[in-house]
Structure formats: structure tokens, C-alpha cells
Amino acid sequence: MVARKGRRMRADISLSRQARDFMAEILFTQRFYSAIAVLLIVFETVATFAIIRRVSYTEIDWKAYMQEVAGVISGERNYTKLQGATGPLVYPAGFVWIFGLLWQVTDRGKDIRLAQYVFLGIYVATQALVLLMYKRARIPPVLVGLLVMSRRLHSIYVLRLFNDCVATAFAYMAIFAMCNRRSIQWSGLLLSAGIAVKMNVILMLPGAAFLWWRAGGWRLALTQAAVVVGSQVAVAVPFLLTYPVEYVTRAFDLGRQFDFKWTVNWRFIGAPVFYSSQWALALVAAHAVLLAMLGLILWPKLSASTAWSILKSGCSTRRRRTPTMLSTEEVLLVMFSANFVGIVCARSLHYQFYAWYFHTLPFLLHVSRLTLPLQLSVWVAIEYAWNIYPSTTFSSALLAVAHTTLLAAIMWAMASQKPKRKAQ
């Protein structure tokens, strides 16, 4: 009898251990990643469709977008005369052509439900692309699951229809192209497409320039820079040929003043500091210093190199037959960290700006080397802050602390890591 009880207890313990090991395998290894990714995409498609059907659409900028592009469609080319319900047109020409197409498809912007379905497609496609990159980067499913858990992000895409969603999709396509040396040649065009919809994608340009130089030296970097500039000119030709000054000053206004009313990240510093030129200069200086630290010290470490050796190698006059193969991990870390320091030092973050970096959070948390409870705590803090409307002193301070903690952990991890191998 005692022996039988002992065997039963050992069997129970063994079964419990097997269940625990199986759960750990699901959450922390790549064995079931593909199946989990498919399930997440199916869940997202169904859940987001249900959100569209059950949750009321909230008008914020869509009507203004349609009014702005309607002015262009009617023949107006002077950006200072293109207005919407929320103010003047302040986006580059790529926005005009893409949202002009949506104007046509959605019956001059009146068919909101159809527009929501279009944005559902953009949302699911973006999620699928990010999941594919995360599979290559071997991000554990326990963090990948965070991609489907944001209340705010669903709202930004299918209940608000912000142009940030379109710009972000192009940015991730550009990053995906950089992960393959055969497609890296297309990355500049895709990145430029994102910039042509909304300027926030410029935050990734320092990282892209570094990767172009490392992969193909001055030839690839110069070629891609020319593609970015050339494509910006190409999409804006109708405006540049008629009212060039008006177009450039409106579409690429780097000095635009933000309203304290809408800030998510700096509510706790107060309006006087928020509007001060000293605060603006401090943020610009911090951004520049952080980018210098990344480009001169930390990014080169990812390939067991130094900034000088990368610079010298890139200046070689010998033509490379194919670009250097960059690992997915290096591409994502360079591009995402370049974007994230821009987020941390942003003059102001409005609610739709969450789309600029939400998808990068699982990867950034993974490489931060924080413990899993701390990683999840940082994510919860960020998500909480973005879901408080209007923002409060506490929510904005919490967001600043979470951002700073994550950035410090990422930079420390890059500074202390020893790359497994040198990129070929």
C-alpha cells in the first residue's frame, strides 16, 4: 500500500514537471512559434473585426484628411490653402496620394465602415510582418503575445483611422527589406514612402544610414540617400512645380509648436516648461547625444567592430559584389533603438503616436536583459499611460520613468554584450 502511494506520488510529480516543462517550451522557445503566430493573427482578425462591429467609431482626423485631399483633387496645389476641420494640411505628398485613393474608394470619405476594414487589413498585415521578423530574431512567444493586448492600438487603427498606421507599415516593410541583402536595395524607397506619409519615420533614418554604410559602404549609403531624396521630390512634383516654398515649409515643418493639452509624455513638467525654448533645446541636445552614443559606440559593438573600422571599411573604393549580410537582430536593434531615442526625446507625444513604436516593444524588452517580471511591468506601465485620457501628472511621469528605464537597460545591454559572431 505504501509502495503504491509512493509510485502514484512520483507519477504525479513527474506529470506536473512535464506540464511545467511543456508550458515553458510554449512560452520561451521557438518550437511552437509558428503555430502561436498563426493563432495570434487569426485572433487579431476576428477580435478587431468584432471591435469594428461593436464599438462606436470616433471622429478625430479622418474627416479633416478627406477635406485636405479633396482640395488637391479639386485642383489646389498651394499647401497654405489646403485645410481640414482640424487645421491646415501638414503632411507630405505621399499622404495626399494614398489618402486621395482612400477618398475615392470610400465614396469621398463617407463610407467609414469600409475605411475601417481597410485599416483592419493594414493592422493585421503589420502584425504579421512584425511576427515574421520576431521569428527570425527568436523573440520568445511570452513577449510576442503582448502585440495583441493593447486597447489603445486597436483604437488608433480601426476606431480613429490615423495616418500614423500607414506610415508605420511602410517603416516595417523597409526594416524587413534590410534583413536580406537581396532586398536591402529597396529599403530606402520603402522608408521614404513612410516619410512621405508622415515625418515621424525620419526618426529611423540615422539607424538606416548606419546599416546602409555597414552593409554596402559609401556606395550603398549614397545610393539609398539619393533614393530617399529623389522619391520625396518625385511624389511632390505637382506641388514643387507650382508652390515649392509653401509645400516644403508646411509638409516638413520641424518647428511646429505642440499643444500642451494633448501631450501624453510631458504633462508632469507643467505648461511653462513645456512651451519654453530651453526645454526644446534640451530635448534636441539629449537626442543628439544619445544618437552619437549609439552610432559611435554601441551599434558597432553589435558586429564586434568599432566606429572607425566601419567607417574605414565603408570608404573603400573596391566594389562589393553583394552587400554584407546583416543579422535580423542587428537590423532590428539598430532601427528600433534609433526610433526609440526619438520617442524618449520627443517634444510631445500625442495619443496616435503610440503606433510609432508599440510593435517594437517586445523586441526592446527582450534585448534589455531585464528580468521577465520587470519587462512585463515596464510594458504595463507604458500601456497604462497611453490609456489615460486626458493624461495626468502621474501617467506622464510614469511613462517617462518607463521609457527611461527601458532605454537605459537597452543601452547597458548593448554596451556589455559580446556578439556571438561577426557578421559576414
Side-chain angles (χ1 to χ4, degrees), residues 134 333 336-337 340 360-368 406 410:
Y134 282 179
L333 188 46
F336 289 178
S337 60
F340 191 57
T360 72
L361 288 174
F363 179 85
L364 294 176
L365 290 166
H366 177 65
V367 300
S368 70
L406 182 55
I410 293 165

Side-chain angles (χ1 to χ4, degrees), residues 82-100:
L82 293 169
Q83 301 277 333
T86 58
L89 173 58
V90 293
Y91 306 118
F95 162 85
V96 171
W97 308 130
I98 291 174
F99 278 78

